[in-house]
Amino acid sequence: MGLGLPLGCNHRSARGFIVVAVLWILAALSALVLIYLTYVTNTAVVVAGSTDRVQTEALVTAGVELAAYRLTAVKEDKRATSGAFNARTGAARLSVTFRSEAARIDLNMAPKELLVGLIVGFGGTPENAADYADRIVAWRTPAKSGDDDPENASYRAAGLGYTPRHAPFPEIEELWLVRGIPPAVVERMLPFVTVFSNLASVNILDAAPQVLAALPDMTPEKLQAVLSQRSDPGSDPRSLGDAASSSKAYRVSVGVAFDNGRRSGAEVIILLLEDGDEPYRVLSWRNASDGAPQRVN
């Protein structure tokens, strides 16, 4: 008589194997469900974020178009150089301010003296400021001697892997590349310069005090007098000289406040167009959460 396991034992082993297999299948299904739920959640977050960006961009565009309409609705010689207004659009409130780029110093057009004045106002000595201004002017000026240009040679001697553009600054951030200017000075200059006004002068009515202080022959006493005079509603702007010089480029800041409490916005630089089907063209767009502006060609 041979030895063997009881018949019931074989059935128990088979059932145990089936239970283990079922548990493995359930675990695998659970893992798949978890992966799917994670995917769905992440997709929902991405879609929601994209929706928010689309809504914000649409509302900012609405604010820009309202500003452009206000500016182009009047003749150019009567056009405001700055202003502000609020508007309601759907489930959001818009706070819009606009200002002519003539309120800033144009890196491509400003004379050396104006650049020197701005740099001195931010801590540079007159001697150093003159050198920094020379570097800015040299960056935007066509080379006279090709590869033998002294300015190119100075960049190579400094160990830099590039030479001046010898063409207009396409954006103000390129100021970081100009040789020799301390980073602290560049950082202070950026909020007060532009590449879009296409003017050698600035609009005294709208310029920040730091820009006014950079004007040639400007003294603290003259600066205080100008600031007091332009804040007087009864003052005649013509008494400030070439105060109302304006650019067709405007900086429009749009703040968006949604009814759910979320806030966003953007800063957009536009060029007003007198002819054509479109009233303006976007030159630069910087979202509130972004760093460098997006240059629009």
Side-chain angles (χ1 to χ4, degrees):
M1 183 174 181
L3 296 176
L5 295 174
L7 183 59
C9 184
N10 290 333
H11 287 294
R12 285 195 298 271
S13 298
R15 285 198 300 269
F17 174 79
I18 293 172
V19 169
V20 171
V22 170
L23 291 176
W24 274 107
I25 293 172
L26 291 175
L29 289 174
S30 298
L32 289 174
V33 170
L34 181 60
I35 293 172
Y36 176 74
L37 290 176
T38 302
Y39 168 77
V40 170
T41 302
N42 291 339
T43 301
V45 171
V46 171
V47 171
S50 299
T51 301
D52 288 346
R53 286 193 295 271
V54 170
Q55 286 181 334
T56 298
E57 184 173 337
L59 289 167
V60 169
T61 299
V64 170
E65 291 184 346
L66 287 171
Y69 174 77
R70 287 184 174 226
L71 291 167
T72 56
V74 298
K75 294 183 178 180
E76 186 175 355
D77 59 344
K78 301 295 184 181
R79 186 174 294 160
T81 56
S82 63
F85 62 90
N86 298 320
R88 178 81 187 184
T89 304
R93 297 185 306 278
L94 305 181
S95 300
V96 183
T97 61
F98 58 88
R99 188 177 302 274
S100 168
E101 282 293 273
R104 298 184 175 217
I105 295 174
D106 194 307
L107 289 176
N108 294 320
M109 302 296 295
K112 175 182 174 180
E113 294 74 20
L114 187 54
L115 295 170
V116 169
L118 183 65
I119 295 169
V120 168
F122 293 133
T125 64
E127 296 77 14
N128 288 340
D131 181 62
Y132 302 155
D134 282 335
R135 303 282 74 75
I136 294 173
V137 173
W139 184 277
R140 73 192 191 193
T141 303
K144 297 180 179 179
S145 308
D147 291 338
D148 296 329
D149 184 86
E151 194 69 13
N152 291 349
S154 70
Y155 277 70
R156 287 193 290 265
L160 299 174
Y162 58 91
T163 56
R165 179 180 290 276
H166 293 302
F169 287 82
E171 55 190 34
I172 61 173
E173 283 74 17
E174 196 167 88
L175 193 60
W176 289 106
L177 300 178
V178 177
R179 178 180 66 85
I181 305 180
V185 173
V186 174
E187 187 173 5
R188 293 168 185 167
M189 290 178 65
L190 290 181
F192 305 101
V193 297
T194 183
V195 295
F196 296 119
S197 81
N198 200 33
L199 295 172
S201 60
V202 297
N203 188 321
I204 298 177
L205 290 177
D206 297 317
Q210 294 89 333
V211 173
L212 295 177
L215 296 174
D217 301 324
M218 181 63 72
T219 64
E221 294 75 20
K222 289 182 180 179
L223 175 60
Q224 188 57 46
V226 170
L227 293 175
S228 299
Q229 190 171 354
R230 75 178 189 179
S231 64
D232 182 3
S235 175
D236 184 0
R238 292 173 295 182
S239 64
L240 295 175
D242 189 22
S245 58
S246 181
S247 169
K248 292 184 179 180
Y250 278 77
R251 187 176 298 258
V252 184
S253 298
V254 183
V256 180
F258 291 92
D259 290 346
N260 61 9
R262 187 171 60 84
R263 293 179 178 272
S264 188
E267 183 180 79
V268 184
I269 302 176
I270 62 173
L271 178 67
L272 299 180
L273 304 176
E274 303 300 329
D275 301 317
D277 297 332
E278 298 294 332
Y280 68 92
R281 178 162 62 91
V282 175
L283 301 175
S284 174
W285 184 299
R286 185 200 303 265
N287 291 323
S289 59
D290 290 348
Q294 303 171 31
R295 179 66 180 263
V296 181
N297 296 319

